[in-house]
Amino acid sequence: MENNKLMDKGPFSLQNLNRFSKQSCSGCRVADQCLPGLIVRNNSSCSLDRYSLDNLVERRRIFHQNEHLSFKMQRLDYLYAIHSGSCKAYYVDHEAREHITNFYYPGDVIGLESIFSRKHLVDIVALETSSICFIELSRFMQLHQQSSEIRTQLVNLYSQQLWQAYCMQGTFKAEELLVRFLLNLSHHAKARGESEEQLHLSMGRHDIGSYLGLSSETVSRVITRLKKQKLISVNRSMITLRNLSALHLLGGNVESV
Amino acid sequence: MENNKLMDKGPFSLQNLNRFSKQSCSGCRVADQCLPGLIVRNNSSCSLDRYSLDNLVERRRIFHQNEHLSFKMQRLDYLYAIHSGSCKAYYVDHEAREHITNFYYPGDVIGLESIFSRKHLVDIVALETSSICFIELSRFMQLHQQSSEIRTQLVNLYSQQLWQAYCMQGTFKAEELLVRFLLNLSHHAKARGESEEQLHLSMGRHDIGSYLGLSSETVSRVITRLKKQKLISVNRSMITLRNLSALHLLGGNVESV
DNA sequence: CGAAGACTTGACCGCAGTCAACCGGCGTGG
DNA sequence: CCACGCCGGTTGACTGCGGTCAAGTCTTCG
């Protein structure tokens, strides 16, 4: 029932999509936030014809929860863009600990960190039922050579992701980390036109911990503490930020990317 | 005396450089590792004339220890490439703690994480007397639009740096962090044609700690421990890796970038 | 030679990891 | 329909790594 409500409120109805479908970016709902979408949208000043651009996304496919988009060490044939849903990227270290490198949401492009090695450096998994766009890498690189829009957008995208990654380095208190994580989610949700207070966490406590460098127990404890301080309220995987300004203070007012 | 020896062995004699000097990449000693250098070297298939390329680096200048290349929040007019010496980039958080985002060595390009915001997101400081190449950002972006070499190299560079940053996320033991740090230095030194066992640490313990998310005391203690295990030997800022394979084991055999 | 600063070492403490018990929702099968 | 088991989340007790504070050492430089 909770789930049905979510589906109805979602950006589009999953049922209407074929499992494999030829898609174009022109009509995409998250085109505003997405790299291919941005490029297509700015087509006017672009040296490429509309056909090439709309074919940047080769196809789209539904992935179910815990289904892999790709495995570590596979050849890097595609980048992925998230149309709806969410994914995590992770690798397993020599002591069998899972390290999540990033979470991805609608409009995000996946795989940028792996390009130099020409193979996937991480496993990529859907956190919930998700609609994923396939961007053939060779075509992308071709278009990248031809379109100044792609170039500009790509540099900005890389630059942002790099800065974001830098901001995760160093040592922080558990509370600070978690608050920043939540504010980051909120920021991105807002950018996508969703609520900035109501967050739906598609990943488990363990995943959050793995991303932030904490144990799932610590994540749980900090959430409980924030709940007691009335800064957030929690309903299963739904978190409501009750006092954004107070949270910004706790998180150190980091200008999120 | 130690210093003189270093100068003589160094890649080139600092004294021969003017403080400001017009430079070209064609004859540069670290061109093999450097982004502008790589581009100039592959000029054959390049759409740009040699003049434009050699003028990618607008000028070169000597910075002394602790001298700032640029300050946080300044407009981003230049990227920097290190010709010799080394630098650190850092920001100060809301609790006045210094976070080092990265160290830079000959051939490295500085400023890539700041491009999207059009201003410097970090302070950049020379760790020792260093010769720094100035790359005017507007010219770089122009050339980036014109040269497919720059594009390919830049994507690879970003991709690498992003992966490297991802690998620093998550939680690791102090020993593991430090060993990986040393092995990374070793790896890069080797790539520059220097010794992979003899490392000269141009930054202090505090800086290493700030980069790895440790206190300087912990860095010191771990170094002492490794010394006692005969894995390294230490002579002030000179560290010798005595057992690379054992160190690789401790560091978790991470494929360094 | 003396002062300043970086590094080392020791003592103590606190945050977060680990281990374990418990809870509560959900799905499955009787 | 209920009973059961599973899994993710929460909570508690304990521990240990690494932070903090402080003293002491070594190096450099004026």
Side-chain angles (χ1 to χ4, degrees):
Chain A
M1 172 166 167
E2 187 79 280
N3 265 338
N4 282 336
K5 234 174 67 189
L6 274 174
M7 298 280 261
D8 293 338
K9 284 173 63 183
F12 74 118
S13 166
L14 295 174
Q15 288 82 350
N16 295 337
L17 287 173
N18 298 322
R19 223 175 122 76
F20 280 90
S21 54
K22 192 83 187 159
Q23 295 290 342
S24 80
C25 293
S26 343
C28 175
R29 303 190 58 122
V30 289
D32 289 3
Q33 284 82 50
C34 187
L35 178 64
L38 278 172
I39 295 157
V40 172
R41 213 154 50 95
N42 296 333
N43 198 6
S44 52
S45 63
C46 182
S47 47
L48 291 173
D49 59 294
R50 180 152 216 92
Y51 177 81
S52 307
L53 282 173
D54 262 358
N55 280 283
L56 215 173
V57 169
E58 198 210 28
R59 64 174 192 269
R60 199 186 286 161
R61 153 147 139 62
I62 298 290
F63 286 82
H64 295 294
Q65 190 173 29
N66 298 324
E67 198 179 345
H68 271 73
L69 278 67
S70 65
F71 291 90
K72 189 179 172 177
M73 301 312 262
Q74 275 180 346
R75 229 181 64 198
L76 185 73
D77 294 322
Y78 296 97
L79 300 178
Y80 307 99
I82 300 205
H83 181 84
S84 73
S86 53
C87 294
K88 65 174 176 179
Y90 69 93
Y91 68 94
V92 178
D93 74 12
H94 62 120
E95 287 176 8
R97 288 171 304 196
E98 181 181 299
H99 293 269
I100 290 183
T101 58
N102 217 346
F103 295 114
Y104 298 93
Y105 289 94
D108 291 344
V109 176
I110 306 179
L112 291 178
E113 79 292 332
S114 299
I115 288 184
F116 77 97
S117 81
R118 282 309 198 137
K119 56 182 190 248
H120 284 279
L121 294 168
V122 288
D123 281 49
I124 302 167
V125 175
L127 289 167
E128 58 196 316
T129 303
S130 305
S131 163
I132 306 297
C133 304
F134 284 61
I135 304 171
E136 206 185 338
L137 187 60
S138 56
R139 171 190 292 280
F140 179 72
M141 291 318 243
Q142 265 172 39
L143 294 185
H144 171 248
Q145 295 294 4
Q146 291 161 44
S147 150
S148 70
E149 270 73 22
I150 296 192
R151 295 199 280 273
T152 307
Q153 297 294 348
L154 188 64
V155 167
N156 283 331
L157 199 56
Y158 261 124
S159 171
Q160 268 181 41
Q161 294 216 359
L162 190 55
W163 175 241
Q164 197 181 8
Y166 279 157
C167 286
M168 306 279 311
Q169 287 176 202
T171 180
F172 295 96
K173 291 256 184 304
E175 192 174 71
E176 194 175 344
L177 282 170
L178 190 74
V179 169
R180 277 170 47 183
F181 173 71
L182 292 176
L183 289 175
N184 216 13
L185 285 187
S186 162
H187 185 80
H188 279 96
K190 190 180 180 187
R192 287 194 305 274
E194 302 167 19
S195 161
E196 62 176 327
E197 275 117 20
Q198 294 261 112
L199 305 176
H200 167 245
L201 300 185
S202 53
M203 73 295 289
R205 305 289 189 259
H206 178 78
D207 283 345
I208 298 175
S210 165
Y211 177 59
L212 298 175
L214 302 170
S215 70
S216 64
E217 291 95 330
T218 299
V219 173
S220 191
R221 273 186 259 268
V222 174
I223 288 178
T224 308
R225 205 184 312 152
L226 294 174
K227 203 164 52 182
K228 282 181 183 155
Q229 298 173 245
K230 311 267 188 218
L231 296 175
I232 62 174
S233 52
V234 184
N235 192 301
R236 287 214 68 51
S237 68
M238 195 66 85
I239 287 200
T240 310
L241 310 186
R242 295 226 157 280
N243 190 338
L244 276 172
S245 53
L247 288 169
H248 272 288
L249 244 83
L250 276 182
N253 265 102
V254 183
E255 59 271 41
S256 7
V257 177
Chain B
M1 171 166 169
E2 187 77 283
N3 265 336
N4 282 335
K5 233 173 72 189
L6 273 174
M7 299 280 261
D8 293 338
K9 284 171 67 183
F12 73 120
S13 167
L14 294 176
Q15 289 82 350
N16 295 337
L17 287 173
N18 299 321
R19 221 173 124 75
F20 279 90
S21 55
K22 193 82 187 156
Q23 295 289 344
S24 80
C25 292
S26 341
C28 175
R29 305 190 58 126
V30 288
D32 288 5
Q33 283 84 48
C34 187
L35 178 64
L38 277 172
I39 295 157
V40 173
R41 215 155 48 96
N42 295 336
N43 198 7
S44 52
S45 63
C46 182
S47 47
L48 292 173
D49 57 294
R50 183 153 213 89
Y51 176 79
S52 307
L53 282 172
D54 263 359
N55 280 282
L56 216 173
V57 170
E58 199 211 26
R59 64 173 193 269
R60 199 185 285 160
R61 153 147 140 59
I62 298 290
F63 286 82
H64 296 294
Q65 189 172 30
N66 296 325
E67 198 180 344
H68 271 73
L69 278 67
S70 66
F71 292 90
K72 190 177 171 178
M73 300 313 260
Q74 275 181 346
R75 230 181 62 199
L76 186 73
D77 294 322
Y78 297 97
L79 300 178
Y80 307 99
I82 300 203
H83 181 86
S84 74
S86 53
C87 294
K88 65 174 176 180
Y90 69 92
Y91 68 93
V92 177
D93 73 11
H94 62 120
E95 287 175 7
R97 287 171 304 196
E98 182 180 298
H99 293 269
I100 290 181
T101 57
N102 215 347
F103 295 113
Y104 298 93
Y105 289 94
D108 290 344
V109 175
I110 306 178
L112 292 177
E113 80 290 333
S114 300
I115 287 184
F116 77 96
S117 80
R118 282 308 197 140
K119 57 184 190 243
H120 284 280
L121 295 168
V122 289
D123 282 49
I124 303 167
V125 175
L127 289 167
E128 58 195 317
T129 302
S130 303
S131 164
I132 306 296
C133 303
F134 284 60
I135 304 171
E136 205 185 338
L137 187 60
S138 55
R139 170 190 293 282
F140 180 72
M141 290 319 244
Q142 265 174 38
L143 294 185
H144 172 248
Q145 294 294 6
Q146 292 162 42
S147 151
S148 70
E149 270 75 20
I150 296 193
R151 295 198 280 272
T152 307
Q153 296 295 347
L154 188 64
V155 167
N156 283 331
L157 199 56
Y158 262 123
S159 171
Q160 268 181 42
Q161 294 217 358
L162 191 55
W163 176 241
Q164 196 182 6
Y166 279 155
C167 286
M168 303 280 311
Q169 285 175 203
T171 182
F172 296 96
K173 291 253 184 301
E175 191 174 74
E176 194 175 345
L177 282 170
L178 190 74
V179 169
R180 277 171 46 184
F181 173 70
L182 292 175
L183 289 175
N184 216 12
L185 285 187
S186 161
H187 186 78
H188 279 95
K190 190 179 180 187
R192 288 195 303 276
E194 302 166 19
S195 161
E196 61 176 327
E197 275 119 19
Q198 294 259 110
L199 306 177
H200 166 246
L201 300 186
S202 53
M203 74 295 289
R205 306 289 190 260
H206 178 78
D207 284 344
I208 298 174
S210 164
Y211 178 60
L212 299 176
L214 303 170
S215 69
S216 63
E217 292 94 328
T218 299
V219 173
S220 191
R221 273 187 258 268
V222 173
I223 288 179
T224 307
R225 205 184 311 151
L226 294 174
K227 203 163 54 181
K228 281 181 183 155
Q229 296 172 247
K230 311 263 187 222
L231 295 175
I232 63 174
S233 52
V234 183
N235 191 300
R236 284 230 52 60
S237 68
M238 195 66 87
I239 287 201
T240 310
L241 310 186
R242 295 226 157 279
N243 190 338
L244 277 172
S245 53
L247 288 169
H248 272 288
L249 245 84
L250 275 183
N253 265 103
V254 182
E255 60 273 35
S256 8
V257 176

